[in-house]
Structures are given as structure tokens and as C-alpha cells.
Amino acid sequence: MEVRSLPHFGGRVTVIGDVMLDRYWYGTSSRISPEAPVPVVNVDRYEERAGGAANVALNLSSLGIDCDLVGIVGEDDSGKLLTQILKDKKIDTRFVVCPELPTITKLRVLSRHQQLLRIDFEKGYSDVDQGRIMLTLRQALRDSKVLICSDYGKGALSSVQNMINAARLLRIPVLVDPKGTDFTRYRGATLLTPNMSEFEAVVGKVRDNADLERKALKLIREIDLDALLVTRSEDGMSLVVPGEPTLHIPTYAREVYDVTGAGDTVIATLGACLASGSSLQMACAIANRAAGIVVGKLGTSTVTPDELEEEIFAKNHGLKHSGVMSEDELVQEVQRLKQKGKRIVMTNGCFDILHKGHVDYLQQARSLGDVLVVAVNSDDSVQRLKGPTRPIVPLENRMAVLAALGCVDIVVPFSEDTPQRLISRVLPDILVKGGDYKVEQIAGHEEVLNNGGKVKILSFVDNCSTTSIVNKIKENS
């Protein structure tokens, strides 16, 4: 499925699950300890990050989604630090504090980009009073559009069936990142997002896509799901929905540095898209692109809407929209592109019968900047300029042909004899005209120059013109 536009991210999502603090100690290691055959690390840098379900919340916040995070922490420094990290990101922490248990903390010691040791501080929360957690969850769900259950098997989701039921009673979709091999505990969820290893541990070895679909549909029926999304690493992901064609989405990861937290990014992006009104299929397509971004970063990471736009629309030179558009759409898109530092080139013409001279000229114009906008005379405008027998090709067709050229990014019509008014609204960085003109003869030159832009005059290719083509056709008819 092709992503043509991103949703306007908004709404509120509740995340419940196993929250943890990830600590990283970095340093140099150049000798072995005389006390034991282990490296000695001279620690010179520290870093603390939110992990587990807390990383899902960070991903939601990064996408501009309001987030309530329900979890369990200890009454200790790690719990206080984790809470502060999340509050700094505008996440509403609704933690159940257990004085007798430590906040789950994972300490990693690294040297030269290699992890030498991990030390875990945890006792699990299976015995914590689930009534307190359910009360906290119900309060959070009052304003939520989506519930995400992030299960790391530490005990915060011991009553996950009750959590799912509480959300479904409110008609709130429930997304679950599962753990373990007993998927029946997630009965009634809207969507499960296991990776391929987790999926095969439950349903058996998958031979091919058809086998995956059969096994997924069987699992959906058995535990009363609406859909199942299997993430497949370098093979992308597969969305199985009963009664609909299975959607196999290829991976878009360019270079993989670290898969840590990729599952958190996927389920967070799904929740963000659904809360913002996207279909499940489109949400999966966008989440797949988000995963491709995050695996290109080291450590647990998040994705921003700007990064998604750059990733998804890179083939259009960073354009959110391209091709033929209205004047108002053009102005809005140009403003967005200028904010990103893109250089806008603009030219205009009738382009009645497109020929090699036009193409060479447009390619030259495109090379002057990042985005080429071509303004095209309306049919009435061409007739006033060229005579009653023109244009030969109507406006809609002329614009469609121009938009199909690889060097042209945006095509827009104008109805006046000159595009001066349109140029004054767009204010391109570079205004281009072909032919034997002086700068002061070019419509819109004054507005562009006064705005700090430039005006460029390009030469046309000799012996290439619409008029000569028309005359030759007449001679041979």
C-alpha cells in the first residue's frame, strides 16, 4: 500500500505495560583486570532512557499524540528519574508505586560501541494488587481513543484480559504487543503485533505467505481478534484481516544499525494513526516506514512526523504532494518546502505540444534548485496569445503530460495572459524563462527580486518549437 499523505496526528492514547529505566555507561577499555579475565572499562559518560512500555509512550509523544502511561515503579531513585524523563516529554504518568519492589532497571556497560555487560535490577510485578492498576487504567481511558498494551512479561499486565474488556466496553480499540506463547490471554483484542519468531512459537513454522495467512486466520478465530499484524524484519510486515486480502508490506529500512525498540515504534505509530483517523491498512503502511527509520538509529529511538514525511516523500524530492494542484494547494506546499530549506524554481508557458526543446529546457530549470514548479496558461489564455486555432492540446492534457516528466514536481494552471499575480503569491527562489528576453521583460521579475530571489534566462534548443511542428503537419496533410 502506497502512503500518499500522513494524517494530522492528534488525539489521546493510553499505554499500559511494563515500564523500565535503561541506563547506559560508556567508556574506554584497553586492559584486562588482574583480578579476573574481564575487561576494565573507564566510564566517562552516562545516559538514562525510558524503556519498555515507557518507550512506546515516548514514540507517541514524538508523533504529537497526547499520552497517558500506566505502569508500576518502585519508590526509588530509578522510579523518580524515569518519571521525570517522561514528564519532560509531556507524558502523563499514572504510575502505581510499590515501595517494596525496585523499578525495573537495565544497566548496560559499553565500550567502542560494544555491549560488554548488562545488569538487571528487577523482581517482577506479578503479585502487585491488580485492583489498583485497573482503577488507574479506567481513569485514563475516559479520554482515550486507543489503548496499547505493551507486554514485556514483567507482571504489569497480569490482568490483561480485564484491561482489554474495560477498553472494549468503551468501544476503544486495543493494540497488544504480546509476550510468551499463550496468546489466549489477549482474547478479544483488536490487533496483536507479534514478530515472526513470536508468531511461529505459537502457530508453528511458517512455510510461505499462504501458510502465514492460514495460520493467522485460524489464530484470529480462536482468540477472537479483529486482525493480526506479523512484523517480519527484513521481509516487512503482513496484516491479516478476515474477509479482506492479506496486506504484505515490504521493508523500507535502508541500513540497519539497531533493531532495539523497533516493535515499540511500530505499535506506537499504529496507535497514533488510528487515534488520528487512519484506516488500519494505512496505519500499518505508515508504521512500516517508521520502523525503517528507527532501525537506522542506535539504541531505543523515536520517530517524528517530519522524519516520516522526509522518508515517505523522498521520491518526490521531499514534497508532501506533487503533480497537478490548485493555486492554493501550491502556495501551501511551497511554504512548507521553504521552511525545510528547499530552493523553489518556477517557470511558465503554454506547452501546447510538448517537444524535446521543452524537455531540455525544463531539465535545465530543475537543475537550478530542489523543486520545479511549472505554471501553465489556460486554454482561453493560450487562445488570446496564439490565436483562435490554439491550443491544440487542452489544458488538462497539457498539465498531465508535464506532471509525468521526472524533472517537473508541481504543475499549476493560471488564467491571465501572464503569471505575474501567481508568481507574486508563490515568490520562488529562482524565476526561470526561456528565450531571448531581458530580465525586466519577464513577468514577476520585480516581485521575485524584491524578495531576494533570482531571475534566470535559459536558451531554447534550436529548431524546436510547437509552431514548426504544427506547420510541418499542415505541409504533410
Side-chain angles (χ1 to χ4, degrees):
M1 171 174 282
E2 184 179 357
V3 181
R4 295 187 178 275
S5 64
L6 290 178
H8 178 69
F9 287 113
R12 195 169 196 90
V13 174
T14 295
V15 178
I16 187 167
D18 299 301
V19 300
M20 55 193 73
L21 179 68
D22 288 332
R23 292 183 183 271
Y24 296 84
W25 290 3
Y26 303 92
T28 57
S29 177
S30 57
R31 63 190 180 94
I32 301 298
S33 170
E35 302 167 359
V38 295
V40 176
V41 179
N42 182 22
V43 176
D44 56 20
R45 184 163 63 92
Y46 307 87
E47 186 177 1
E48 285 86 21
R49 302 177 185 171
N55 188 48
V56 177
L58 284 179
N59 272 270
L60 285 161
S61 178
S62 181
L63 288 169
I65 299 293
D66 293 331
C67 180
D68 289 291
L69 176 60
V70 181
I72 307 171
V73 296
E75 195 172 35
D76 51 21
D77 290 340
S78 293
K80 293 174 183 176
L81 178 57
L82 177 59
T83 301
Q84 191 59 53
I85 291 171
L86 295 164
K87 285 186 175 180
D88 288 344
K89 296 297 183 179
K90 311 301 182 185
I91 295 167
D92 291 326
T93 55
R94 296 174 178 261
F95 289 160
V96 173
V97 179
C98 295
E100 67 278 10
L101 294 171
T103 300
I104 297 173
T105 304
K106 299 181 182 299
L107 170 62
R108 298 168 177 86
V109 181
L110 300 94
S111 180
R112 298 179 181 177
H113 304 295
Q114 295 292 322
Q115 187 176 148
L116 303 181
L117 177 68
R118 195 182 93 178
I119 305 171
D120 290 358
F121 302 86
E122 64 177 83
K123 291 186 178 178
Y125 298 127
S126 299
D127 297 330
V128 173
D129 180 10
Q130 293 293 303
R132 296 170 61 193
I133 300 172
M134 287 301 302
L135 178 61
T136 305
L137 175 62
R138 288 191 176 97
Q139 292 171 342
L141 286 176
R142 291 172 183 169
D143 299 319
S144 285
K145 293 187 176 181
V146 177
L147 172 63
I148 295 177
C149 298
S150 179
D151 197 347
Y152 278 78
K154 308 300 182 183
L157 295 180
S158 295
S159 297
V160 67
Q161 189 67 76
N162 292 334
M163 297 169 182
I164 293 170
N165 293 339
R168 296 310 292 264
L169 281 173
L170 297 172
R171 300 184 182 276
I172 296 173
V174 183
L175 315 181
V176 180
D177 190 358
K179 191 74 172 181
T181 56
D182 181 15
F183 282 8
T184 60
R185 60 196 299 264
Y186 309 116
R187 183 179 302 278
T190 306
L191 176 74
L192 255 61
T193 63
N195 61 38
M196 182 60 94
S197 296
E198 292 167 336
F199 181 65
E200 289 185 325
V202 173
V203 303
K205 185 68 177 177
V206 173
R207 296 188 301 273
D208 51 32
N209 285 345
D211 190 38
L212 182 149
E213 183 176 353
R214 284 192 297 270
K215 287 179 164 65
L217 288 170
K218 183 173 182 291
L219 182 61
I220 288 170
R221 289 193 299 269
E222 288 175 348
I223 61 175
D224 191 25
L225 303 176
D226 288 1
L228 188 74
L229 177 69
V230 182
T231 57
R232 306 174 64 182
S233 189
E234 68 274 6
D235 293 322
M237 54 179 63
S238 298
L239 175 66
V240 182
V241 181
E244 298 184 16
T246 296
L247 182 62
H248 298 291
I249 309 172
T251 184
Y252 286 93
R254 289 158 294 182
E255 188 167 2
V256 176
Y257 289 103
D258 191 347
V259 297
T260 305
D264 296 338
T265 299
V266 168
I267 200 164
T269 307
L270 286 172
C273 290
L274 293 178
S276 305
S278 294
S279 68
L280 180 57
Q281 288 77 6
M282 184 55 65
C284 289
I286 295 172
N288 186 52
R289 302 302 288 261
I293 296 170
V294 81
V295 298
K297 302 178 180 181
L298 287 173
T300 53
S301 299
T302 59
V303 175
T304 67
D306 281 348
E307 288 175 322
L308 274 172
E309 281 191 358
E310 288 295 330
E311 170 71 14
I312 292 169
F313 306 113
K315 65 183 177 66
N316 290 330
H317 314 299
L319 273 72
K320 188 173 182 179
H321 303 287
S322 61
V324 178
M325 61 180 64
S326 69
E327 181 177 322
D328 287 341
E329 289 172 332
L330 167 65
V331 171
Q332 185 177 7
E333 180 67 3
V334 166
Q335 288 175 349
R336 190 187 70 84
L337 290 166
K338 285 184 176 181
Q339 289 174 356
K340 292 181 174 295
K342 302 293 185 182
R343 287 168 57 83
I344 310 300
V345 182
M346 187 171 182
T347 190
N348 66 277
C350 299
F351 300 100
D352 193 2
I353 296 179
L354 200 66
H355 51 70
K356 184 180 183 301
H358 288 139
V359 175
D360 287 353
Y361 165 72
L362 292 171
Q363 287 175 335
Q364 289 182 61
R366 178 62 177 77
S367 69
L368 298 174
D370 300 307
V371 175
L372 176 60
V373 177
V374 179
V376 185
N377 295 73
S378 67
D379 291 345
D380 288 342
S381 176
V382 174
Q383 192 173 58
R384 290 194 298 271
L385 293 172
K386 302 288 186 178
T389 61
R390 302 281 294 275
I392 295 169
V393 180
L395 174 64
E396 183 178 346
N397 293 355
R398 286 184 281 132
M399 292 196 300
V401 172
L402 284 166
L405 295 177
C407 57
V408 175
D409 298 300
I410 299 173
V411 181
V412 62
F414 67 96
S415 58
E416 301 93 338
D417 289 350
T418 78
Q420 182 172 358
R421 183 193 56 79
L422 176 61
I423 291 169
S424 69
R425 287 195 69 191
V426 176
L427 293 177
D429 299 290
I430 303 173
L431 178 61
V432 178
K433 190 67 178 173
D436 187 17
Y437 288 94
K438 293 181 180 180
V439 170
E440 56 269 21
Q441 295 175 308
I442 297 173
H445 77 277
E446 188 173 350
E447 290 84 354
V448 172
L449 292 174
N450 288 340
N451 193 54
K454 298 178 180 179
V455 179
K456 296 282 187 180
I457 299 172
L458 302 179
S459 299
F460 277 141
V461 176
D462 291 336
N463 301 318
C464 284
S465 72
T466 301
T467 301
S468 63
I469 293 173
V470 172
N471 289 337
K472 190 168 185 179
I473 293 172
K474 289 179 177 179
E475 290 173 3
N476 294 331
S477 61

